[in-house]
Amino acid sequence: MPPTNAWQACIRHKPAPSFRGVSTMKIRARAAMVRPVSWNRFSDTHVPDSYKQPSAAPSTAACPVCHAVFLRGHWQWCAVPEGAASLMCSACHRTTDGVPAARLVLDGAFEAAHREEILGLVRHRAQRLHREHPMERVMAITSGEDGTSITTTGMHIARDISSAIHHAYGGKLDIDYAHAEAELHVRWHRS
């Protein structure tokens, strides 16, 4: 029997959609079986972050070092508006203090043999992310006999770079969130 009015047409029940012939119940059951290989929970103790934006920050400010603009609650790349206060951004503050938010360590025989290629990928990802997010920057890249160490001003860029390297070259990727409030530790290794 067809619906007699628009309200009845809206409340008509349809069977649950399927994904390539698999019911949604089966998809939910499979998703429940997926678990991470290792899981390091965040620590329970809170460590205050002096590099977070203060709650009493002015509504409009510009960093005197990198010229990023704090507008509408976040840092962005745009022209400095008239009357903007001067406030150093957290990325420049971390860089001048030498305190990274994340440390990415690349090591192994494969890394030593393909170091320039891997660092080219690192630079490309860093430039791309920096254009979109002013607070995500690479602070320093140091290479030695035991591998390469990359320090960053944000955790997201370390995750992005390490995921790109892992996707491109395989290997083993370990992300340690246990000390993430102080500094995120990421290690990529391939023999």
Side-chain angles (χ1 to χ4, degrees):
M1 178 172 165
T4 56
N5 60 26
W7 183 78
Q8 286 180 341
C10 291
I11 62 167
R12 185 172 41 148
H13 294 290
K14 295 181 183 177
S18 63
F19 180 74
R20 295 186 188 174
V22 179
S23 71
T24 55
M25 294 301 288
K26 287 183 181 178
I27 292 173
R28 287 185 190 137
R30 288 182 190 160
M33 293 188 296
V34 177
R35 298 284 182 252
V37 176
S38 64
W39 182 261
N40 294 335
R41 295 192 181 275
F42 284 110
S43 63
D44 293 335
T45 59
H46 176 70
V47 178
D49 187 6
S50 63
Y51 297 101
K52 280 193 173 183
Q53 193 62 41
S55 59
S59 61
T60 306
C63 178
V65 180
C66 67
H67 306 292
V69 175
F70 183 74
L71 188 63
R72 296 187 198 110
H74 66 276
W75 291 94
Q76 51 191 305
W77 297 118
C78 63
V80 178
E82 291 291 323
S86 179
L87 178 68
M88 185 180 281
C89 68
S90 60
C92 291
H93 193 199
R94 282 187 179 276
T95 304
T96 55
D97 290 351
V99 179
R103 184 176 308 274
L104 173 61
V105 176
L106 314 172
D107 60 2
F110 183 85
E111 187 272 334
H114 298 88
R115 184 169 290 161
E116 290 305 316
E117 185 179 339
I118 293 171
L119 290 180
L121 176 63
V122 168
R123 288 184 195 101
H124 174 73
R125 296 300 292 189
Q127 287 173 354
R128 181 176 173 207
L129 201 61
H130 181 64
R131 280 193 302 257
E132 298 169 11
H133 305 281
M135 299 300 104
E136 301 290 331
R137 303 178 196 168
V138 171
M139 291 173 59
I141 300 174
T142 56
S143 296
E145 293 177 9
D146 56 340
T148 302
S149 176
I150 303 167
T151 55
T152 64
T153 59
M155 290 191 285
H156 300 289
I157 190 170
R159 275 291 305 255
D160 184 75
I161 289 171
S162 63
S163 296
I165 292 171
H166 186 255
H167 179 74
Y169 301 108
K172 186 176 180 199
L173 179 63
D174 294 319
I175 302 174
D176 182 18
Y177 289 103
H179 306 98
E181 284 198 29
E183 182 178 306
L184 178 68
H185 297 279
V186 181
R187 182 175 181 261
W188 178 80
H189 175 82
R190 181 172 170 189
S191 300

